[in-house]
Amino acid sequence: MSQPYQVVQAYDRTLIKEIPADDAAALEAKVDAAFRLIKNRDGALKPYHRSAILIRAAALLGERLDTFARLIAQEGGKPLTDARIEAIRAVDGLRNAAEEIRNFAGREIPMGLTPASDGRWAFTTREPIGVVAAISAFNHPLNLIVHQVAPAVAVGCPVIVKPAAPTPLSCLELAALLCEAGLPEPWCQTLVTEDNALSERLATDPRIAFLSFIGSARVGWYLRSKLAPGTRCALEHGGAAPVMVDRSARLDRIIEPIVKGGYYHAGQVCVSTQRIFVHNDIKAEFVERLASRVRALRVGDPLLADTEVGPLILPREATRVSNWIDEAVAAGAQLIGGRRRSETTLEPAILVEPAADAKVSQLEIFGPVTCVYGFEKLDDAIEIANSLPFAFQASVFSTDIEPALRAAQRLDASAVMVNDHTAFRTDWMPFAGRRQSGYGIGGIRPTMNEMSEEKMIVFRQAD
């Protein structure tokens, strides 16, 4: 093991815990152990065993919601109320994976459709793809791990999960909980490290059959280019989620969901509402109402029950977001809020009409900032919204069906929410970025498909 490192609270940078870090020797031992498991077919965990483990793990997690919520708030900075919701979702994710095992099966392939295929019977089965490497992100330090680990357990893949360096504790606790629920340790191992080279070695090891990566597009696409031949992957990155606000939208009903979508977890969400396009007829009133609600958001210590917006994960991230805001203001944008309160905490900000080439208009902010742009024609706003090289979720607010359908059909997004914010998600729905925003499909069932392979078996009837 290498030297230990310190895990600190996102809000005030005080020490939570000092934990041992893994080194190259530990990584080799973990990959070797996982690979030996997948090669030993006689030792594979039976479906009923995997289901029972996941059900038991869900029950144990349900009993410890408050403990996990506090840990999420401490290491990740997510307000306690939202952290508890994350823990509840993690319970549901484990249950979803257990339930999917009942329906996880192959299919019959029709035979006898040609003379050459006559007298044969064919069907498919699904097999675990092999060892899974899961590299995760900080912003949902429990639920993201569940979405990577639970499908692997469900299909029978050994998994080595590397949590984000600032937020390893939730991952370690979940791995221990799975072990307590009956999962033998080599089936779910953790790699705790701040060494990016060691993470890359995990992802690119030829014994890895599948890489599940959640994080920055730059790192994800780089790792994909370095994978060993035959290794499959799924990448989940981010975007700059657009919202269309039609002139028919009811302002008294849309401000709250837009604020939730834009400032939930201080905007550190891959589908956080970022670019808000508002019809010019209602733009002034929209900005006024949005500003009033944003100013009222309670900002501060995520461990306080009434906090709505907590810190950014690292001081350098708060500095980056502040610099982007300053750049937009220097180029002519109107700023509402945005003052830096501490090393990691920013007041929620609104930028009105930032320049088209400003970073806040072109890149994922990943901070508590939304941008408002006026438009006359919906199609023009949609064209601007679709102009970036990434696309994930989008939304449209309208009481008229025609503009709602037009936006839903024309927005370049994997999912379009009508009269709801861009960050809406349930744990059983497919979840995927397009273009530079991702590769493959997330969600419990889609990930189970990704982590398994279909094998066809053909019987020939004797003459």
Side-chain angles (χ1 to χ4, degrees), residues 171-189:
C171 175
L172 292 171
E173 288 297 318
L174 179 68
L177 185 146
L178 284 166
C179 186
E180 183 181 344
L183 183 69
E185 183 182 356
W187 288 93
C188 179
Q189 302 176 89

Side-chain angles (χ1 to χ4, degrees), residues 19 85 164 363 449:
I19 59 173
I85 292 172
L363 304 172
N449 288 335

Side-chain angles (χ1 to χ4, degrees), residues 18-334:
E18 189 171 79
I19 59 173
D22 290 305
D23 58 15
L27 172 60
E28 172 57 30
K30 291 169 192 266
V31 174
D32 180 66
F35 192 65
R36 282 189 280 108
L37 281 179
I38 204 67
K39 286 299 182 183
N40 179 19
R41 296 205 172 203
D42 292 338
L45 297 175
K46 302 294 185 183
Y48 66 83
H49 191 187
R50 303 195 301 263
S51 177
I53 290 167
L54 290 167
I55 291 170
R56 175 62 177 153
L60 290 172
L61 182 53
E63 294 168 2
R64 303 169 192 176
L65 287 177
D66 291 339
T67 299
F68 273 93
R70 185 173 180 82
L71 197 55
I72 292 166
Q74 285 180 304
E75 66 176 349
K78 181 177 290 185
L80 196 57
T81 301
D82 293 326
R84 196 170 198 280
I85 292 172
E86 178 178 339
I88 292 170
R89 286 181 56 189
V91 172
D92 195 47
L94 292 168
R95 287 176 179 157
N96 286 345
E99 291 165 1
E100 287 292 347
I101 294 174
R102 290 184 174 273
N103 303 307
F104 196 66
R107 57 199 172 95
E108 184 178 356
I109 307 297
M111 289 288 124
L113 303 178
T114 64
S117 65
D118 196 28
R120 289 169 173 81
W121 173 47
F123 61 92
T124 67
T125 60
R126 299 203 71 90
E127 298 181 338
I129 191 172
V131 180
V132 171
I135 298 178
S136 206
F138 75 85
N139 52 333
H140 308 292
L142 175 62
N143 204 41
L144 291 181
I145 301 290
V146 165
H147 271 261
Q148 294 172 296
V149 170
V153 173
V155 302
C157 289
V159 57
I160 302 169
V161 56
K162 185 230 165 281
T167 56
L169 301 180
S170 296
C171 175
L172 292 171
E173 288 297 318
L174 179 68
L177 185 146
L178 284 166
C179 186
E180 183 181 344
L183 183 69
E185 183 182 356
W187 288 93
C188 179
Q189 302 176 89
T190 59
L191 180 72
V192 177
T193 181
E194 295 181 290
D195 185 349
N196 292 334
L198 200 61
S199 300
E200 180 176 339
R201 188 180 302 183
L202 166 66
T204 58
D205 190 294
R207 291 165 292 183
I208 298 299
F210 188 85
L211 170 65
S212 171
F213 178 87
I214 303 174
S216 78
R218 179 184 61 81
V219 176
W221 290 108
Y222 168 79
L223 288 178
R224 181 173 179 261
S225 74
K226 298 292 183 180
L227 295 181
T231 302
R232 286 167 30 191
C233 72
L235 311 176
E236 184 182 308
H237 303 140
V243 174
M244 303 291 126
V245 181
D246 179 59
R247 75 173 87 190
S248 69
R250 291 278 303 273
L251 295 183
D252 58 329
R253 295 182 180 178
I254 73 171
I255 296 300
E256 203 61 37
I258 287 177
V259 168
K260 184 66 175 178
Y263 302 98
Y264 165 66
H265 196 12
Q268 298 170 114
V269 180
C270 60
V271 287
S272 180
T273 296
Q274 180 170 323
R275 297 175 297 150
I276 308 171
F277 298 88
V278 185
H279 195 281
N280 284 330
D281 286 356
I282 61 170
K283 177 188 165 189
E285 185 180 358
F286 174 86
V287 171
E288 181 180 343
R289 289 184 180 230
L290 180 66
S292 177
R293 180 65 186 95
V294 168
R295 289 191 185 102
L297 288 170
R298 294 180 293 275
V299 182
D301 187 345
L303 292 173
L304 298 179
D306 64 347
T307 297
E308 295 173 285
V309 179
L312 295 174
I313 189 64
L314 294 169
R316 68 169 181 262
E317 288 301 301
T319 298
R320 175 188 59 79
V321 174
S322 292
N323 290 342
W324 286 17
I325 291 172
D326 292 343
E327 175 198 79
V329 171
Q334 175 193 349

Side-chain angles (χ1 to χ4, degrees), residues 275 277 356 361-362 381-390 412 435:
R275 297 175 297 150
F277 298 88
S361 298
Q362 292 288 316
I382 292 173
E383 183 178 357
I384 296 170
N386 291 344
S387 66
L388 301 184
F390 33 76
D412 188 3
R435 293 188 277 153

